[in-house]
Amino acid sequence: MVTVSIVGACAFVVIDLAGAANGIHHSDATLPTAAPGVAQDEGEQNILIMGLDSRVDEDGKPYPQEIYDAIHAEDASVGGYNTNVLMYVHIPAGGGQAVAVSIPRDDEVDYAGSPGGVHSGKIKEDYGRAFEAKDEQLRAQGMSDDDAYQQARDAARTEEMQTVSQFLGGVPIDHFVEVTMAAFYRVAQAVQPLTVCLNHATADTYSGADFAAGEQQINASQAMAFVRQRRDTKYDDVFLTDLDRTRRQQAFLVSLALKLRDAQTFTDFGRLQSLLDTARQYTAVDKGFDLLSLASTAQRLAGGDVTFQTLPIERFGTIDGQSVNIVDQKAIAAQVSALLHPAPASTPDATAAPSQEPATAAPSASPSPSSSVYTDSQQPMRAGSVPCVN
């Protein structure tokens, strides 16, 4: 259940691809091309990170029991194939500023392929609907369980990517990385402890979160709780939503990338291979990823050349009894277009006053001087230092 900005994104993508010939699942899913009229520069890369809530590996087999115990995720009978993490990473041609766009998992969208006859719903549920429809069809035709399972997973990846592309305004997806909670846990386990920072003390019995305010080091099990927490069950003055959960995921990826950069992991393929061995059975990628170019990009961007954005929602709502995010799809497509291909900056007026950074509310505890403070879940987050988040 990772993801990637190309800081964090690259952190996981590079780890996952370092041993691509040695166990990573290579998918035949179809990658979306740019819709007519959508800009795409030669040499840019666009990567979709899909983090599944499934409690099984890429072959549909259960995790070892110690992983279920560590991640507070019950067992293989629980959960489905929701893409609880969706992050679109754009790396411009020529080495410019990258951007990682997080899509809130409960956004109500139109499905590209209407899987199982369902035309719209939460964006996270598109994968699971497509998987179930294709799996049922293939088994009814007499295909073996294992073959049906793998083809259904590829159909689900294709459907989810098409829906994401359509939702973001017809953007291309050049590569994808799919990870499960077990992949996230194994990588966190290999590099623990990791440094995170919180604006407030918070605890949650559902995810297992129990954190003090301020900067702190966490182990792999705590990292799972950190990125999964979306409520507080202890403190009356702490109110969290799914958008804070998304921001936690971004913050974790920034911290992960910083640790890998400082350990020179991006330039040491022996270390990358060792990390890969811990998570390969829980990861899938497309067949055309260029590892070498991504590794060098990750080393550069981990220092701060990437910004994380969370797409806005209009409001929280209810459709057919389900809590959803109501969104303005046209506005989102326009925002994404501006993020991926910004207009050239105009020459500043020499007489104009210097611009000021927007003020943010003070956290309840002072973060480390090395931390940047983020109090709004939709405030752009810059890589390069440990972020302090809600």
Side-chain angles (χ1 to χ4, degrees), residues 177-259:
V177 177
E178 174 187 292
V179 293
T180 65
M181 290 190 290
F184 177 96
Y185 174 72
R186 285 301 195 206
V187 171
Q189 191 177 40
V191 301
Q192 64 185 347
L194 284 151
T195 303
V196 298
C197 183
L198 285 166
N199 292 326
H200 311 277
T202 181
D204 168 36
T205 56
Y206 292 89
S207 64
D210 189 2
F211 300 111
E215 196 168 291
Q216 58 208 277
Q217 290 193 317
I218 59 175
N219 61 28
S221 181
Q222 291 172 315
M224 286 299 306
F226 180 83
V227 299
R228 295 181 67 207
Q229 184 182 5
R230 60 187 176 91
R231 60 172 68 84
D232 188 289
T233 58
K234 182 177 180 179
Y235 298 96
D236 293 336
D237 59 344
V238 177
F239 178 72
L240 302 176
T241 71
D242 233 27
L243 299 180
D244 295 299
R245 183 179 188 271
T246 298
R247 178 43 53 96
R248 297 277 196 93
Q249 294 160 0
Q250 296 170 348
F252 179 84
L253 290 175
V254 171
S255 294
L256 171 63
L258 286 170
K259 180 154 189 176

Side-chain angles (χ1 to χ4, degrees), residues 328-375:
D328 183 336
Q329 199 274 327
K330 289 184 178 180
I332 284 173
Q335 177 180 347
V336 170
S337 177
L339 286 171
L340 304 193
H341 299 282
S346 58
T347 303
D349 186 341
T351 62
S355 61
Q356 299 294 320
E357 292 294 325
T360 59
S364 61
S366 298
S368 161
S370 64
S371 301
S372 299
V373 178
Y374 298 91
T375 57

Side-chain angles (χ1 to χ4, degrees), residues 12 15 23 77 92 109 156 243 264 287 366:
F12 263 100
I15 289 168
S77 67
V109 303
L243 299 180
Q264 299 183 332
K287 293 183 175 178
S366 298

Side-chain angles (χ1 to χ4, degrees), residues 23-375:
I24 290 286
H25 182 86
H26 288 80
S27 170
D28 289 324
T30 302
L31 298 165
T33 57
V38 174
Q40 183 174 19
D41 297 330
E42 182 177 355
E44 71 177 40
Q45 289 196 71
N46 301 286
I47 306 165
L48 181 65
I49 310 306
M50 295 187 286
L52 299 187
D53 72 346
S54 118
R55 271 68 163 174
V56 295
D57 67 16
E58 293 296 339
D59 294 319
K61 308 302 182 186
Y63 302 156
Q65 185 59 45
E66 55 102 356
I67 293 183
Y68 293 121
D69 294 341
I71 66 179
H72 298 273
E74 301 181 71
D75 58 31
S77 67
V78 179
Y81 293 91
N82 287 338
T83 51
N84 277 348
V85 176
L86 286 169
M87 188 180 293
Y88 184 84
V89 183
H90 171 75
I91 309 167
Q97 176 84 22
V99 61
V101 180
S102 289
I103 305 169
R105 64 178 183 166
D106 289 340
D107 283 4
E108 178 76 9
V109 303
D110 293 330
Y111 293 152
S114 299
V118 179
H119 304 297
S120 63
K122 296 181 183 182
I123 196 167
K124 70 177 182 182
E125 294 176 351
D126 194 26
Y127 187 115
R129 293 184 189 278
F131 170 78
E132 290 176 6
K134 190 67 172 180
D135 189 55
E136 181 179 347
Q137 173 194 345
L138 294 175
R139 291 174 194 268
Q141 294 171 356
M143 184 175 289
S144 70
D145 289 352
D146 288 346
D147 287 346
Y149 183 84
Q150 293 300 339
Q151 289 192 31
R153 290 291 292 268
D154 280 342
R157 294 166 185 135
T158 297
E159 167 66 18
E160 186 72 47
M161 287 190 287
Q162 292 289 349
T163 291
V164 168
S165 173
Q166 173 180 283
F167 178 58
L168 299 185
V171 297
I173 296 175
D174 304 308
H175 302 291
F176 82 89
V177 177
E178 174 187 292
V179 293
T180 65
M181 290 190 290
F184 177 96
Y185 174 72
R186 285 301 195 206
V187 171
Q189 191 177 40
V191 301
Q192 64 185 347
L194 284 151
T195 303
V196 298
C197 183
L198 285 166
N199 292 326
H200 311 277
T202 181
D204 168 36
T205 56
Y206 292 89
S207 64
D210 189 2
F211 300 111
E215 196 168 291
Q216 58 208 277
Q217 290 193 317
I218 59 175
N219 61 28
S221 181
Q222 291 172 315
M224 286 299 306
F226 180 83
V227 299
R228 295 181 67 207
Q229 184 182 5
R230 60 187 176 91
R231 60 172 68 84
D232 188 289
T233 58
K234 182 177 180 179
Y235 298 96
D236 293 336
D237 59 344
V238 177
F239 178 72
L240 302 176
T241 71
D242 233 27
L243 299 180
D244 295 299
R245 183 179 188 271
T246 298
R247 178 43 53 96
R248 297 277 196 93
Q249 294 160 0
Q250 296 170 348
F252 179 84
L253 290 175
V254 171
S255 294
L256 171 63
L258 286 170
K259 180 154 189 176
L260 295 180
R261 182 203 64 180
D262 292 345
Q264 299 183 332
T265 305
F266 291 120
T267 56
D268 186 331
F269 284 93
R271 291 182 183 179
L272 288 176
Q273 180 65 63
S274 178
L275 282 174
L276 176 278
D277 287 341
T278 70
R280 60 189 180 187
Q281 73 199 81
Y282 309 116
T283 306
V285 299
D286 64 275
K287 293 183 175 178
F289 233 129
D290 181 350
L291 164 65
L292 294 178
S293 65
L294 193 61
S296 60
T297 299
Q299 179 71 8
R300 174 176 63 85
L301 296 184
D305 250 0
V306 61
T307 300
F308 291 82
Q309 302 270 351
T310 301
L311 292 180
I313 69 171
E314 293 287 294
R315 66 185 186 278
F316 297 113
T318 302
I319 296 179
D320 295 331
Q322 297 290 315
S323 297
V324 301
N325 301 331
I326 306 300
V327 298
D328 183 336
Q329 199 274 327
K330 289 184 178 180
I332 284 173
Q335 177 180 347
V336 170
S337 177
L339 286 171
L340 304 193
H341 299 282
S346 58
T347 303
D349 186 341
T351 62
S355 61
Q356 299 294 320
E357 292 294 325
T360 59
S364 61
S366 298
S368 161
S370 64
S371 301
S372 299
V373 178
Y374 298 91
T375 57

